Amino acid sequence: MASPSHRRSLRTRRAVLVSTAAVAAAGLGAAVFAMTANAGPVDLAHQVLPAKDGWAASGTGTTGGAQADSAHVFTVSTRAQLVKALGSATNSAAKIIQIKGTIDANTNGAGKKLTCADYAAGTGYSLAAYLKAYDPATYGRSKVPSGTQEKARAAAQAAQAKNIVLKVPANTTLVGVPGTNAGITGGSLQVKNVDNVIIRNLTFSATEDCFPQWDPTDGSTGNWNSAYDSVTLRGATHVWADHNTFTDAPHLDSANPKYYGREYQIHDGALDITNGSDLVTVERNQFTNHDKTMLIGGSDTDSVGKLRVSIHHNVWKGIVQRAPLARIGQIHIYNNYFDTTTLNGYAPLYTINSRAKAQVVAEHNAWKLPSGGRTAKLLSGDGTGSVAGTGNLVNGTATDLVGAYNAANSKKLKTTVNWKPVLTTGLQTTAKNLATELARTTGAGVLS
Ligand code: CA
Ligand code: CA
C-alpha cells in the first residue's frame, strides 16, 4: 500500500490541516494557501476551495477529501480502479482519488473496450428496427415510443449506464495527476444527493449515449434525446468544479446523422446542476465543442431557495447554448470569456438564458462576437428571469447586453435581483484582459 504517492500524501496531510485553519482565518486565496504551510507546499490533491470563493464557500465550505486518512488516498488509471476507489454511493469517508492518464468509461472490469453493440447484445435492440417502429409516417407524432423496440432500447441504455455512470460519494476529491493528460472519456460523473465534492484538473470528453430516445412530442418537430452529462449534479451541495476541460471531441455534433429529419443527438449536458443542487462554484474550466452545455435547474419547478451557483473565470468556446441556462436560483456569472465564433460546426444560438425567475448577476465578463453577430442574441429568457450586473464587454467595448436583448424581444429580461453577491474572492472589476489571461489559466493540464 505504501506507494511513493501514498507516502507523499501522508507527509503533507498534517501541513494541510494547519494551513486550512490559517487560510480560513486570514481569508486568503488558493495561491497563497498553497505556499502557507511551514512543512512545505500543499499538493494539488489536498487543496480546498479558498474562503469566499463563490457559493460553494458558503457555510462549511468545500474541502472534498482533504481530510482523508492514508487508507483513503488513491491513484487510479483504469475504470475498475476508479469504481473501486469511489466505493459505494453512501460511503462518506473523506477520500482523495487521483486520476492518472485518461480513463475510458466504456471498458469492462478487465479493461476490454466495450462498444454500443456490446451493450445492446441480448436486448433485441437495433437502430434499424427502432427507426422502423417509431417512424412518424406510421407511428404518428402524438405519443412517445412504447412497445418492444422502446423496451429493448431502454434495456440497452441501462446496460451502458451501469458501465459509464460513475457515482461520486460525499467528501471526495477527484483530481487529475499533473502531466498525465488526466481525465475520463465516455463517462458520466454523477454527484447525487451528497455534500462536499471537488473535481479538478480533469478532461471530460466524448460522453456519448449509444441509445438516444426519440420523442415526437418534444418541440414542434420532435427530438432525439440523450441521457448523459459529463458531470451531473443532482441534489448535490458544496461542489467545486475547477480547472477542468469539457468537450465532445473526438465525435463532434457535425458528425451526427439525422433521422426523421432531426439530429440524432448523442450528447446531453457538459455540466448540469439540477434537482435542487445548491452551493456550487464553477471556476477556471474550459467548455468547448458542445451544444447544451450547462443547465441550472432541470425544469421550471426545480427547487426554490436552492440552485445557488457561482461561475467565474471560465472559457466558453464553440458552445451552441446554455452557458448557462439558469432557472430559479441566485447565480453569479463573472469574469468569464465567451467566444461566440462558430467552431467546428458549433454555431452559437445564445450564451446566457435566465428563466423561471432566475436571479442572475452577470458582471465583468467578456464576449467575442464575430462580424455579423448580434449583441441582442447573446442573452435569452422567458420573461420572468433577471439579469443584473455591469462591466460586460463585447469585443472590448462596455455593452448593455440586457438593453440590447430587451429592445429586440417581447419577453423581456428583468434588470433587478433579490440578492447581492458577497462570496467573490478573485473578482476582477475589469474584463479587459480576460481573453489572454484565461487562455493560459483555465482547463485541465495547467495546474501542477
Ligand atoms: Ca436532454
Ligand atoms: Ca442533463
Side-chain angles (χ1 to χ4, degrees):
M1 283 303 286
S3 67
S5 66
H6 203 130
R7 279 196 297 274
R8 212 162 35 240
S9 306
L10 279 173
R11 204 167 59 233
T12 51
R13 192 161 58 88
R14 252 174 247 105
V16 174
L17 296 177
V18 172
S19 62
T20 303
V23 165
L28 300 174
V32 179
F33 177 12
M35 302 305 295
T36 299
N38 294 333
V42 174
D43 66 7
L44 195 60
H46 285 83
Q47 286 171 6
V48 303
L49 177 68
K52 296 192 177 178
D53 186 352
W55 272 119
S58 181
T60 52
T62 301
T63 58
Q67 313 261 343
D69 64 26
S70 56
H72 293 89
V73 178
F74 309 94
T75 300
V76 301
S77 53
T78 67
R79 177 188 160 277
Q81 289 168 354
L82 174 57
V83 167
K84 195 176 170 198
L86 287 166
S88 90
T90 55
N91 151 33
S92 62
K95 70 202 77 62
I96 292 172
I97 304 174
Q98 306 175 98
I99 295 181
K100 197 173 177 180
T102 303
I103 289 177
D104 187 345
N106 287 299
T107 51
N108 70 9
K112 179 183 169 281
K113 179 76 183 168
L114 296 176
T115 65
C116 294
D118 290 325
Y119 296 126
T123 65
Y125 172 85
S126 86
L127 178 59
Y130 190 88
L131 290 173
K132 191 161 176 243
Y134 306 111
D135 189 332
T138 49
Y139 187 78
R141 290 184 175 274
S142 59
K143 53 187 195 298
V144 297
S146 67
T148 309
Q149 267 304 305
E150 171 53 24
K151 237 183 185 162
R153 187 205 63 79
Q157 190 175 62
Q160 186 185 17
K162 203 173 161 195
N163 215 79
I164 72 165
V165 175
L166 302 159
K167 296 179 182 172
V168 182
N171 307 316
T172 299
T173 292
L174 272 167
V175 58
V177 176
T180 69
N181 292 321
I184 298 174
T185 187
S188 179
L189 277 187
Q190 185 182 94
V191 187
K192 187 176 176 184
N193 299 334
V194 299
D195 183 61
N196 195 25
V197 170
I198 295 175
I199 300 169
R200 304 183 79 191
N201 199 36
L202 293 167
T203 294
F204 296 95
S205 59
T207 302
E208 298 169 6
D209 190 338
C210 287
F211 311 101
Q213 182 180 36
W214 171 244
D215 182 355
T217 70
D218 181 348
S220 54
T221 47
N223 271 313
W224 291 97
N225 287 312
S226 281
Y228 312 111
D229 311 323
S230 290
V231 176
T232 192
L233 311 186
R234 302 181 187 182
T237 51
H238 291 112
V239 179
W240 183 30
D242 172 64
H243 281 96
N244 303 292
T245 296
F246 296 82
T247 176
D248 290 347
H251 183 150
L252 307 177
D253 279 353
S254 54
N256 287 339
K258 276 187 180 177
Y259 299 119
Y260 311 151
R262 300 295 293 162
E263 180 180 0
Y264 190 67
Q265 179 55 272
I266 60 173
H267 305 113
D268 196 28
L271 170 53
D272 280 3
I273 302 167
T274 64
N275 299 75
S277 289
D278 199 19
L279 307 176
V280 177
T281 298
V282 179
E283 174 175 357
R284 294 201 191 264
N285 300 282
Q286 287 196 4
F287 296 95
T288 189
N289 294 319
H290 197 83
D291 184 345
K292 298 172 184 175
T293 303
M294 182 183 294
L295 198 55
I296 301 177
S299 76
D300 287 355
T301 56
D302 206 314
S303 312
V304 172
K306 299 182 178 178
L307 301 167
R308 290 172 291 181
V309 181
S310 300
I311 301 167
H312 73 86
H313 293 95
N314 301 283
V315 170
W316 313 71
K317 194 176 180 172
I319 296 304
V320 177
Q321 57 186 319
R322 301 184 180 177
L325 185 157
R327 289 180 166 118
I328 302 168
Q330 295 173 331
I331 293 147
H332 195 196
I333 303 171
Y334 60 96
N335 296 159
N336 293 277
Y337 178 60
F338 303 99
D339 184 342
T340 65
T341 312
T342 295
L343 179 70
N344 297 324
Y346 292 90
L349 285 175
Y350 67 84
T351 308
I352 299 167
N353 184 330
S354 179
R355 58 192 299 110
K357 299 184 182 169
Q359 304 291 305
V360 174
V361 176
E363 55 184 343
H364 307 297
N365 300 288
W367 272 263
K368 180 178 176 185
L369 191 63
S371 74
R374 289 181 54 207
T375 304
K377 294 187 80 172
L378 296 178
L379 301 181
S380 184
D382 67 349
T384 70
S386 296
V387 178
T390 58
N392 294 302
L393 307 182
V394 175
N395 293 340
T397 302
T399 302
D400 177 6
L401 279 79
V402 176
Y405 172 84
N406 282 349
N409 290 279
S410 55
K411 292 179 177 176
K412 301 193 189 303
L413 289 162
K414 299 179 189 308
T415 55
T416 56
V417 289
N418 62 9
W419 70 296
K420 181 177 162 38
V422 290
L423 302 169
T424 58
T425 287
L427 187 152
Q428 295 159 277
T429 53
T430 172
K432 246 193 172 97
N433 303 317
L434 287 174
T436 320
E437 183 207 323
L438 298 186
R440 54 179 173 76
T441 60
T442 57
V446 303
L447 292 172
S448 56

